Amino acid sequence: MSAHSSTPMTTWRGLTAILIVGILALAALPYVLSTYYLGLVVEMMIFALFAMSLDLLIGYTGMASLGHAAYFGVAAYATGLLALRLGWDVWLALPAGLLVAALTATLFGLLALRTRGTYFLMITLALSQVAWGIAFGWRSLTGGDDGLPNVPRPDLTPHWSLTDDTTFYYFVLILAGIGTLLLIRIVSSPFGYALRGIRESETRMSALGYNVWRYRLAAFVLSAIFAGLAGCLYVYYTRFVSPDYLQVVRSAEVLLMVILGGAGTLIGPAIGAALIVLLENMISAYTERWLVVLGVIYILVALFAPRGIVGFVRERHAKRAEP
C-alpha cells in the first residue's frame, strides 16, 4: 500500500480513537457534575458540532461563509414548529429539520456557488439575512421577534423522556458523537481529499476530470445538514426558537469558533466552540457587552495564532522537534 493511500486510513483511525476516548470521558460527566454544568457541556457539544460543520466548508473546501446560521436556524424552526404545533415526536421532527436544512442549502448553494471569495462571503450573508427576515416578519407562523417558547422535549420511548436532564445529555452526546464520526469519515475519505484539492487549486482539479461545482455543492449541503442537526438539538435544549438563531451574529460567532480552534482540523473548531461557550457564560454574568469580547478575541487570535490553537500547538511542537 502506498503512503498516499494509507494516509486517509491513518487519519480516520487516529481521529476515531480520539473521538471514542472523548465520548467515554463525556459519558462519565453526569456522575460528577451539577445540573448547571451538565447543561453547559450540552451547549458545548451542540456548538462543537455546529463549528465542525462550518469547518467542512472553510477548512476543507476553502469556502468562507458568513451565513451558516441560516441552516442552524431553519432546522431549529422546523423542528420546533412540528413539535409545538403538530406534536411530532423527535423521530419525525428532527429528520424533518435536517431535510429543511438540506433543501435550504441546495437552494442557497445554487445561487451562492456562482461566486468566489469575498463575493461568496457576502452572498451567503445576504441569503442568511433573507431567512432571518422571513422568520422575523412571518409572525403568524414563527412568532416574530417573540419566537416560539415552550417547545416540548418528547419521549424517546415510553420509559425514556428527554425532560430528564441526564437522559437529554446522553441523547445529545450520542447524536453529536455520530455527527462527529460521520464528519471524520467524510474528511478522511477520497471525497474529503478531493475537497482539499479543490481548496488548493480548482483549476488543477478540473483538469484532472473532477466536477468542481458538484463537489462544492455536495460539501455545501453536507455542512448545512450537520449545522441543521446542531440547530435541532439546540431547540430541544433551550425549548425555544427565535430569529436570533439566524442572525449574522450567530454566523460570526461560529466562524470565530473555527478560526480560534484552527480551520481544517475538526478537533480545533470543537475546542474553539467549547472555549467560546465557556467564555460567553462566564463573561455574560458580569457584562452584556459580549460582542466586544468576541472582537477582542478575534484580534488576539489574528495577531498571535493566525492558524488557531491547534495550528499554534503544532508549530510549537515542530520547532521543539527541530535539531
Side-chain angles (χ1 to χ4, degrees):
M1 182 179 293
S2 66
H4 175 77
S5 61
S6 63
T7 301
M9 183 60 68
T10 302
T11 303
W12 161 250
R13 288 175 177 172
L15 291 175
T16 302
I18 293 173
L19 177 62
I20 291 173
V21 172
I23 288 176
L24 291 175
L26 288 170
L29 291 184
Y31 299 98
V32 297
L33 293 182
S34 65
T35 301
Y36 170 78
Y37 288 107
L38 204 61
L40 191 60
V41 175
V42 167
E43 192 173 351
M44 288 178 180
M45 290 191 292
I46 292 172
F47 278 95
L49 180 60
F50 189 19
M52 287 187 288
S53 72
L54 180 58
D55 192 34
L56 183 63
L57 272 188
I58 296 177
Y60 292 91
T61 319
M63 297 189 293
S65 170
L66 200 52
H68 210 56
Y71 318 113
F72 181 90
V74 296
Y77 262 111
T79 301
L81 283 167
L82 292 171
L84 189 62
R85 302 283 176 83
L86 299 181
W88 284 21
D89 65 26
V90 66
W91 306 117
L92 294 176
L94 194 148
L98 299 185
L99 179 61
V100 170
L103 292 175
T104 303
T106 301
L107 175 61
F108 285 6
L110 293 174
L111 300 172
L113 292 177
R114 298 175 181 272
T115 61
R116 296 289 188 275
T118 304
Y119 296 103
F120 178 82
L121 187 74
M122 297 310 297
I123 196 171
T124 54
L125 170 60
L127 291 170
S128 178
Q129 287 301 99
V130 169
W132 174 85
I134 293 173
F136 186 84
W138 198 350
R139 178 171 289 271
S140 61
L141 179 68
T142 65
D145 55 347
D146 293 328
L148 298 173
N150 303 318
V151 175
R153 287 186 186 175
D155 296 335
L156 294 176
T157 70
H159 304 289
W160 293 87
S161 175
L162 291 182
T163 55
D164 178 73
D165 290 332
T166 302
T167 302
F168 184 72
Y169 174 87
Y170 284 119
F171 173 72
V172 172
L173 176 60
I174 291 170
L175 289 187
I178 292 173
T180 304
L181 190 64
L182 291 174
L183 279 168
I184 292 172
R185 190 70 185 95
I186 288 170
V187 301
S188 303
S189 69
F191 173 78
Y193 277 79
L195 295 182
R196 289 178 176 86
I198 292 170
R199 178 193 64 195
E200 298 300 325
S201 175
E202 290 187 25
T203 304
R204 182 179 300 174
M205 294 299 288
S206 295
L208 291 172
Y210 288 87
N211 189 320
V212 171
W213 187 86
R214 288 184 180 179
Y215 272 88
R216 283 163 56 90
L217 180 62
F220 196 85
V221 174
L222 282 172
S223 69
I225 291 173
F226 288 105
L229 177 57
C232 294
L233 294 175
Y234 196 61
V235 72
Y236 280 129
Y237 168 64
T238 60
R239 307 187 191 192
F240 174 76
V241 59
S242 75
D244 289 345
Y245 285 33
L246 300 109
Q247 270 193 341
V248 62
V249 174
R250 184 76 66 181
S251 293
E253 186 179 39
V254 72
L255 180 61
L256 178 58
M257 291 173 182
V258 175
I259 295 172
L260 175 62
T265 62
L266 284 187
I267 190 173
I271 294 172
L275 289 175
I276 293 295
V277 170
L278 181 62
L279 287 172
E280 183 174 5
N281 278 270
M282 291 174 58
I283 297 172
S284 62
Y286 300 97
T287 177
E288 296 181 357
R289 301 185 183 277
W290 171 239
L291 292 179
V292 175
V293 177
L294 281 180
V296 172
I297 292 174
Y298 179 81
I299 292 171
L300 292 175
V301 170
L303 290 175
F304 300 106
R307 294 187 180 180
I309 293 172
V310 172
F312 179 77
V313 171
R314 286 177 175 174
E315 288 177 357
R316 297 289 295 180
H317 179 72
K319 286 181 180 179
R320 290 180 178 178
E322 290 178 359

